[in-house]
């Protein structure tokens, strides 16, 4: 089954404790992206990747890192999480110009 | 910077009605436009994708149109059902093909 998977689905952590949210897709897509969704602000792009080893900042990249060492994986790294990074995070993938597929989301709470 | 606006923010209709959701965008240099559905606490499901060279796309009871020059798209839902209740999001992909900008969505409730 074609899908985008994210782990963990739910995470509660404390300020400053490094964490990684994994994202994997099995559709051989070139494009992968990370978004955060917040009430009243909608979905905002954090980082995107157009292929292996090619990444670029989206609209809200501060406090986040990404890497794309393999085509199928695009982890999101929070080196020193802060409470303002409490949000619902989505990973997505697509082929250029085609339908974007979203993962189920990761609900992160930073205390 | 691309800005995407969706009107109305919320809509409540009785079952069986035909309805139209609106999306407008400020920069007409787009690659494509996509409509999504999001159920509470869930991820996004793609409904329709319209390439910049197309005027409309249809899938079942859904029809999406695109007027790139005026920066507008509409999503038409025919014969609405309670199962259509969800938030509908419009997203525009920029001309470079990489950046996707979302509207804030229209929360639709279809009452039995």
């Amino acid at each position: 089954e074609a899908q985008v998977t994210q782990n963990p689905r739910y995470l509660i952590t404390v300020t400053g404790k490094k964490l990684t949210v994994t994202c994997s897709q099995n559709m051989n897509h070139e494009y992968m992206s990370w978004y955060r969704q917040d009430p009243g602000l909608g979905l905002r792009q954090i980082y995107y990747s157009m292929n292996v080893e090619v990444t670029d900042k989206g609209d809200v990249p501060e406090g986040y890192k990404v890497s794309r060492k393999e085509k199928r994986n695009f982890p999101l790294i929070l080196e020193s999480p802060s409470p303002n990074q409490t949000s619902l995070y989505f990973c997505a993938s697509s082929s250029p110009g085609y339908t974007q597929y979203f993962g189920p989301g990761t609900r992160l709470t930073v205390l | 910077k691309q800005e995407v606006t969706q009107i109305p923010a919320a809509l409540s209709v009785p079952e069986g009605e035909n309805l139209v959701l609106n999306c407008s965008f400020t920069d007409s240099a787009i690659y494509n436009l996509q409509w999504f559905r999001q159920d509470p606490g869930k991820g996004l499901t793609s409904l329709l994708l319209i390439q910049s060279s197309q005027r409309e796309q249809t899938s079942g009871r859904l029809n999406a149109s695109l007027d790139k020059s005026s920066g507008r798209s509409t999503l038409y839902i025919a014969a609405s059902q309670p199962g259509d209740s969800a938030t509908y999001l419009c997203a525009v992909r920029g001309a470079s093909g990489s950046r996707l900008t979302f509207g804030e969505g229209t929360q639709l409730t279809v009452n039995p």
Side-chain angles (χ1 to χ4, degrees):
Chain A
E1 179 190 354
Q3 60 183 354
V4 179
T5 57
Q6 295 178 227
N7 282 291
R9 295 288 315 279
Y10 303 91
L11 179 60
I12 300 174
T13 190
V14 295
T15 299
K17 186 176 181 181
K18 181 179 178 179
L19 67 92
T20 299
V21 183
T22 64
C23 173
S24 182
Q25 51 95 2
N26 62 1
M27 295 169 278
N28 201 36
H29 286 162
E30 290 87 349
Y31 284 8
M32 296 187 75
S33 302
W34 275 103
Y35 300 86
R36 61 178 290 174
Q37 187 174 35
D38 302 286
L41 297 175
L43 270 154
R44 294 176 292 168
Q45 193 174 49
I46 303 170
Y47 269 96
Y48 60 93
S49 170
M50 297 176 75
N51 216 322
V52 175
E53 302 291 1
V54 181
T55 63
D56 206 350
K57 297 177 181 178
D59 297 315
V60 288
E62 296 78 18
Y64 304 95
K65 285 176 58 176
V66 293
S67 67
R68 187 94 182 272
K69 294 184 171 58
E70 305 167 282
K71 198 171 187 179
R72 63 181 293 129
N73 296 322
F74 191 44
L76 179 70
I77 303 159
L78 285 71
E79 295 269 4
S80 183
S82 63
N84 65 11
Q85 292 178 298
T86 293
S87 187
L88 180 58
Y89 291 86
F90 289 102
C91 179
S93 74
S94 71
S95 289
Y98 288 90
T99 298
Q100 187 148 77
Y101 293 87
F102 279 76
T106 294
R107 189 167 292 280
L108 172 66
T109 301
V110 183
L111 302 174
Chain B
K1 181 184 174 184
Q2 180 73 271
E3 292 182 4
V4 180
T5 303
Q6 291 188 245
I7 295 173
L11 182 62
S12 182
V13 301
E15 182 176 4
E17 273 207 4
N18 302 324
L19 56 98
V20 175
L21 308 181
N22 296 291
C23 172
S24 62
F25 46 95
T26 55
D27 185 352
S28 61
I30 66 170
Y31 196 93
N32 58 38
L33 183 145
Q34 198 164 355
W35 283 93
F36 293 89
R37 168 188 173 134
Q38 186 176 26
D39 294 287
K42 300 285 181 62
L44 280 70
T45 301
S46 178
L47 297 173
L48 290 165
L49 173 73
I50 310 177
Q51 302 292 352
S52 62
S53 59
Q54 297 175 321
R55 294 296 298 244
E56 66 177 342
Q57 283 286 336
T58 298
S59 175
R61 294 183 293 109
L62 305 179
N63 175 277
S65 68
L66 174 64
D67 184 342
K68 203 172 66 163
S69 61
S70 67
R72 293 182 183 180
S73 176
T74 61
L75 178 67
Y76 175 82
I77 303 176
S80 58
Q81 303 170 359
D84 294 330
S85 298
T87 296
Y88 290 80
L89 294 157
C90 164
V92 173
R93 189 177 291 279
S96 68
S98 55
R99 301 281 291 265
L100 196 65
T101 304
F102 282 83
E104 287 200 39
T106 294
Q107 186 173 356
L108 172 66
T109 302
V110 181
N111 301 300

